[in-house]
Amino acid sequence: MTKPVVPDFRRTLTLRDVSEASGVSEMTVSRVLRNRGDVSDTTRERVLEAARRLGYVPNKIAGALASQRVNLVGVIIPSLSNMVFPEVMTGISDVLEDTGLQPVVGVTNYLPEREESVIYEMLSWRPSGLILAGLEHSEASQAMLAQAGVPVVEIMDIDGTPVDSAVGISHRRAGRQMAEAIVAAGYRRIAFLGTQMPNDHRAKKRLAGFEEALAREGLALADREFYSGGSALLKGREMTEAVLKRSPDVDFLYYSNDMIGAGGLLYCLAQGIDVPGRVGLAGFNGVELLDGLPRRLATMDACRLDIGRLAAEIIAGKRPDGIVGGEIIELSPTLQPGDTIRKV
Amino acid sequence: MTKPVVPDFRRTLTLRDVSEASGVSEMTVSRVLRNRGDVSDTTRERVLEAARRLGYVPNKIAGALASQRVNLVGVIIPSLSNMVFPEVMTGISDVLEDTGLQPVVGVTNYLPEREESVIYEMLSWRPSGLILAGLEHSEASQAMLAQAGVPVVEIMDIDGTPVDSAVGISHRRAGRQMAEAIVAAGYRRIAFLGTQMPNDHRAKKRLAGFEEALAREGLALADREFYSGGSALLKGREMTEAVLKRSPDVDFLYYSNDMIGAGGLLYCLAQGIDVPGRVGLAGFNGVELLDGLPRRLATMDACRLDIGRLAAEIIAGKRPDGIVGGEIIELSPTLQPGDTIRKV
DNA sequence: ATCTGTTATGTTACCGCTAACAGCCAGATC
DNA sequence: GATCTGGCTGTTAGCGGTAACATAACAGAT
C-alpha cells in the first residue's frame, strides 16, 4: 500500500548488463562464463573483467530451464544428528566434487509423509539424480521415484526391492553375524537394547536377523528394552541399568547403535562390572566416537563412506562397464570385536 | 554416437499435459496446483485427479523463473560432523516449516575459498535469503553477499561487522566469563587444549577472551596443546595425557570444545585423577552428548537452537516490529558449572 | 432490458538463459 | 580469383511456468 521508501534502482543483473558493459552479444558472454565454445582471448578477458566489475552472478534458474540440465543431486536422509550420515555425505561429496554435480540435502526425521513431501519438492527441481536412505517408502513416493526419469539410488540397506539401484549392506545378515559371534563366544543370556522408532527399518531388520540366528542355536532374547528421543549416550546408561537390575543373570547386551552402546559401556565400567567377563557388549555402526572410549566397544561398521561413494558414482554415471541403472551393490560389513566380547 | 536403445517415449510431463487431460487451460491448472485464485470445485477436482493420475510434478525451475520467487534459503556451515550444526538446523527448520521456505545446506569444511564458491553457487539459484556461519569471509564473498539483494544473516558470532544481520554470541566474552569462573574457583595453573584449525575464528576468539581475562588477573596460560583431524574424543584423551605429563603442576584444563573435553574427562577418571580437586575441566558448546558422561563437564551452551530460530525469523520477515534487516542479536550463553569445577 | 459486480476461465507477454543454426572474415587451397 | 576452410560472433526460438490483464457467464439491482 505504501510506496517503497528506497527505490529499487539496483535491478538484478542479467547477461544483458554484462553484454552491454563489454560490447558483445549475450550469447558470447554466456559462452565465456560457461567456458563453452570458442571465444577469442581478448573478448574473453573483456567479458570476464566486466562480469567481475559488475559483480554478476549467473541465474542458474534461467540456465537450467533453457538447457534442461540441473547439476543438483538430491540426498534424502532421516536425520542429521545421527553421526552416520555425515560420513555418507563425505563419500558423496568426494565423488561429486569433480563432476560438476552438487548434493542437496533433505531431512525426513524418519517420517514417511515427510519423506514424501521432500521427494516431491526435490523432484520439482528436476535434479540429475536422487540418493535416499532405505528401501521402505510410501506408495506415492515409490510412484514418484519410478516416474522421475533420473537415476535413483537407495542406500544403506539391500534387504528389499529397490526402485532402481541400491547400495548398502544386509542388516538382517549383520544381525545374524553378530549373534553368531556372541554365541560362539559362549554368551547365552542375551538382551537387546534399541530404538523404539517404528520407522527405523534397518534397526528392525538387524534385530530380526539377530533373533533368527539365536533361534537357530535354540536361544531366545532374555530381555529387551527400547527408548526414543533424548541423549543416546544417557539413554544407553539408563537402559543398561534397567536391564541389569531387572534381569541380573543377563550376560550380553546387544545395542542397536554405538551411541547407546557407549553409554552402556560407560555405565558398566563405572559400576565396576567385569566387561567382557561378566557381561559382554556390542553395538552397531563403527562410529569414530568409539575410538576415544576407555575400552573399544564391539561393533560392526556399516561401510558408510563406501556407500556414499558408490551411490554418487552411480548417479554420476561413473560405474565401470558403463552400467547404467538397476544395479544392486551389497557391501560386507566387518565385525570389529573390540574389547567387549570374550575371546574364544 | 550409438542410437539410444530405449526410445524416450515418456517425455517429461508439463502443465500442458495436465491441461489437455483435464480439458482446461494451463493457467487454470497452475492455479489449482498452487491454490491461488478462484477455481470452481468441480474443475479443481478434475485437475487434481488428472495431475495425480499422470503423476505430474510441477517444474519449480520454470515457476521460479516466471514468478521471480524462489522458496529456498541457503544455509552455509563449515561442517556437518560437528554436533553443533544439526541443532542450528533444527532451529531453522522449525521456523521455516510453516513459511513455505525450504533450507538448502552447503558445507565449506572451514575453507574460505570453498565458502566463496558455495556462496556463488547458492546465489546463482537466487534464494530468498542466506544464513551463514561466522563473520569472516573473503573479500569476494563479502562483495557477493552485499550485492545479493536478499537478507543475509551471519550466525554463531557477533564479534565483528556483519554484512547485513547477525545472530550469535560473543565468543570473546564467553572465553572471558569462563576464565573468570575458573580463577574465582581458585585455579591458577591453567592450560588450553584446542583445535589447530586456522579458520576456526570462533575458537580463536574464545581463547583470546580467555587469555585477556587471565591477564587481567595477572595470570598467563601455563601450557597449550593443539590438534587437528581425527576422533575428537580420542584426541582429547591424548592431548590431556600429553599436557599432564609435560606440565604436572597444571590444575585446570580448558578445552575449545566439549568433545575433546569429554575425552579429557574420561582420561582423568580412568587415571584416578581427582576431578575437580586436583584438576578442573571445562569445555564449550553444551552438547547433548555430555549428559551421558559419568560426570557433568563444565561448559557453556552456545544457544544453537535459538540462533537457528532467530536467523530463520529474520529471513522469513517474522521479526517483531517489522524490523527488516541490519539487525544484530546478541544472545547470552550460560555457564553450566557441572561437576568439573570446584565449588567456591 | 440494461447495468454492475462477482466468479471462473482464458490470452498474452514475458522471466533470463542456452541450443541450434546462421553469418562473417582471414587465410589456405586449388 | 574462386572456393573452402575453421575460428569467432550473432540471431532466433524456445525451455515451462506465472503475472497481469482480458473475457465470459450469470445473478441481482435498477
Side-chain angles (χ1 to χ4, degrees):
Chain A
M1 303 304 116
T2 58
K3 246 191 323 193
V5 183
V6 179
D8 192 357
F9 52 83
R10 203 176 60 199
R11 304 173 308 96
T12 76
L13 296 166
T14 72
L15 270 190
R16 155 160 256 102
D17 296 292
V18 183
S19 135
E20 283 169 359
S22 55
V24 298
S25 71
E26 300 176 34
M27 195 58 224
T28 300
V29 176
S30 169
R31 280 195 269 255
V32 170
L33 295 177
R34 286 178 301 145
N35 265 322
R36 211 166 296 268
D38 301 316
V39 179
S40 74
D41 287 345
T42 52
T43 308
R44 174 185 311 282
E45 268 320 305
R46 228 154 16 113
V47 169
L48 285 176
E49 194 279 326
R52 212 173 307 122
R53 181 161 44 78
L54 295 174
Y56 173 72
V57 177
N59 185 330
K60 286 223 172 160
I61 297 180
L65 184 60
S67 68
Q68 303 283 57
R69 233 179 314 226
V70 180
N71 67 336
L72 300 177
V73 176
V75 180
I76 302 178
I77 59 181
S79 159
L80 275 181
S81 41
N82 215 315
M83 305 216 86
V84 0
F85 294 108
E87 203 168 335
V88 176
M89 282 307 303
T90 303
I92 293 175
S93 306
D94 281 358
V95 172
L96 293 189
E97 192 122 352
D98 37 46
T99 63
L101 292 171
Q102 254 222 327
V104 175
V105 183
V107 177
T108 68
N109 291 318
Y110 287 99
L111 301 173
E113 64 274 19
R114 183 106 194 89
E115 180 182 68
E116 204 172 301
S117 74
V118 173
I119 292 174
Y120 187 81
E121 194 76 14
M122 290 230 163
L123 288 180
S124 74
W125 288 100
R126 302 289 188 268
S128 297
L130 226 50
I131 297 175
L132 68 174
L135 294 164
E136 284 75 19
H137 317 288
S138 74
E139 261 188 57
S141 295
Q142 306 237 25
M144 282 191 281
L145 295 172
Q147 288 262 329
V150 294
V152 173
V153 184
E154 291 166 89
I155 58 171
M156 312 305 287
D157 189 8
I158 58 134
D159 292 325
T161 312
V163 171
D164 180 9
S165 298
V167 182
I169 65 170
S170 164
H171 287 262
R172 186 164 226 113
R173 176 179 316 195
R176 274 205 303 267
Q177 279 178 26
M178 186 56 91
E180 286 159 7
I182 292 168
V183 172
Y187 298 99
R188 288 296 177 273
R189 308 267 317 151
I190 303 166
F192 175 83
L193 300 86
T195 50
Q196 184 59 272
M197 308 223 120
N199 292 311
D200 188 344
H201 300 279
R202 294 181 287 288
K204 210 178 285 176
K205 287 172 184 174
R206 286 197 297 278
L207 176 55
F210 192 81
E211 293 198 79
E212 185 187 317
L214 287 188
R216 209 174 289 161
E217 305 275 354
L219 295 172
L221 282 180
D223 197 354
R224 53 182 79 203
E225 178 85 11
F226 297 93
Y227 82 104
S228 63
S231 155
L233 203 61
L234 178 58
K235 289 292 178 183
R237 299 180 82 87
E238 295 173 352
M239 290 197 293
T240 303
E241 179 171 15
V243 168
L244 291 180
K245 290 232 162 97
R246 183 170 60 217
S247 314
D249 57 339
V250 155
D251 65 1
F252 201 96
L253 302 169
Y254 177 48
Y255 296 88
S256 77
N257 67 62
D258 283 343
M259 205 67 176
I260 55 174
L265 174 58
L266 288 176
Y267 172 81
C268 289
L269 295 180
Q271 296 292 311
I273 296 172
D274 172 19
V275 176
R278 159 79 186 78
V279 181
L281 306 172
F284 179 83
N285 256 339
V287 301
E288 196 182 50
L289 170 91
L290 298 186
D291 294 342
L293 258 28
R295 204 164 301 185
R296 282 176 31 244
L297 180 70
T299 189
M300 211 157 196
D301 91 302
C303 312
R304 302 191 299 283
L305 198 67
D306 287 333
I307 287 177
R309 283 231 176 81
L310 289 164
E313 285 178 4
I314 292 176
I315 299 291
K318 277 193 169 182
R319 296 291 299 148
D321 310 330
I323 297 172
V324 172
E327 214 181 342
I328 299 185
I329 304 180
E330 173 172 3
L331 300 176
S332 304
T334 55
L335 182 81
Q336 300 167 349
D339 314 313
T340 61
I341 294 188
R342 279 196 292 264
K343 312 291 184 210
V344 265
Chain B
M1 306 311 117
T2 57
K3 245 190 326 193
V5 183
V6 180
D8 192 356
F9 53 83
R10 204 176 59 202
R11 301 175 310 96
T12 76
L13 295 166
T14 72
L15 270 190
R16 154 160 257 104
D17 296 293
V18 183
S19 135
E20 282 170 0
S22 55
V24 297
S25 72
E26 301 175 32
M27 195 60 224
T28 299
V29 177
S30 170
R31 279 195 270 256
V32 170
L33 296 178
R34 285 178 301 146
N35 266 319
R36 212 167 293 268
D38 301 315
V39 180
S40 75
D41 287 345
T42 51
T43 308
R44 174 184 311 283
E45 268 320 305
R46 225 148 24 107
V47 168
L48 286 176
E49 194 279 325
R52 211 174 307 121
R53 181 161 45 77
L54 295 174
Y56 173 73
V57 177
N59 185 332
K60 286 224 170 159
I61 297 180
L65 183 61
S67 68
Q68 303 282 57
R69 232 178 315 226
V70 180
N71 67 336
L72 300 176
V73 176
V75 180
I76 302 178
I77 59 182
S79 160
L80 274 182
S81 42
N82 215 313
M83 304 217 85
V84 1
F85 294 107
E87 203 169 333
V88 176
M89 282 307 303
T90 304
I92 293 175
S93 307
D94 282 358
V95 172
L96 293 188
E97 193 123 352
D98 37 47
T99 62
L101 292 171
Q102 254 221 328
V104 175
V105 183
V107 177
T108 69
N109 291 318
Y110 287 99
L111 302 172
E113 63 275 19
R114 183 104 193 91
E115 181 183 66
E116 202 171 301
S117 74
V118 173
I119 293 175
Y120 187 81
E121 195 74 15
M122 290 228 162
L123 287 181
S124 74
W125 287 101
R126 302 290 188 267
S128 296
L130 227 49
I131 296 175
L132 68 174
L135 294 163
E136 285 77 18
H137 316 289
S138 74
E139 262 189 56
S141 295
Q142 306 237 24
M144 282 192 283
L145 295 172
Q147 290 262 328
V150 295
V152 173
V153 185
E154 291 165 89
I155 59 171
M156 312 305 287
D157 188 7
I158 57 132
D159 292 325
T161 312
V163 171
D164 179 10
S165 298
V167 182
I169 64 171
S170 164
H171 286 263
R172 185 163 225 112
R173 176 178 317 195
R176 274 205 303 267
Q177 279 178 27
M178 186 56 91
E180 285 158 8
I182 291 168
V183 172
Y187 297 100
R188 290 295 177 272
R189 307 267 318 150
I190 304 165
F192 175 84
L193 300 86
T195 49
Q196 184 59 274
M197 306 222 122
N199 292 312
D200 189 344
H201 300 279
R202 294 180 287 288
K204 212 179 285 178
K205 287 172 184 173
R206 286 198 297 280
L207 176 56
F210 192 80
E211 293 198 78
E212 186 188 316
L214 287 188
R216 210 175 287 161
E217 304 275 354
L219 295 172
L221 283 180
D223 197 352
R224 56 182 77 202
E225 179 85 10
F226 297 93
Y227 81 104
S228 64
S231 156
L233 202 61
L234 179 57
K235 288 293 178 182
R237 298 180 82 87
E238 295 174 351
M239 289 198 293
T240 303
E241 179 170 15
V243 168
L244 291 180
K245 289 231 162 98
R246 185 169 59 217
S247 314
D249 57 340
V250 155
D251 65 2
F252 201 96
L253 302 169
Y254 178 47
Y255 297 88
S256 78
N257 68 61
D258 282 344
M259 207 65 177
I260 55 174
L265 174 59
L266 289 176
Y267 172 80
C268 289
L269 294 179
Q271 295 293 311
I273 296 171
D274 171 18
V275 176
R278 160 76 187 79
V279 181
L281 305 172
F284 179 83
N285 256 340
V287 301
E288 195 181 50
L289 169 90
L290 298 186
D291 294 342
L293 258 28
R295 202 164 303 185
R296 282 176 32 246
L297 181 69
T299 189
M300 212 156 194
D301 92 301
C303 311
R304 302 192 298 285
L305 198 67
D306 287 331
I307 287 178
R309 283 232 176 80
L310 289 164
E313 285 178 4
I314 291 176
I315 298 291
K318 276 192 168 182
R319 296 291 299 150
D321 310 330
I323 297 173
V324 172
E327 213 180 342
I328 299 186
I329 304 180
E330 172 171 3
L331 301 177
S332 303
T334 55
L335 182 82
Q336 299 168 348
D339 314 313
T340 61
I341 294 188
R342 281 196 292 263
K343 311 291 184 209
V344 264

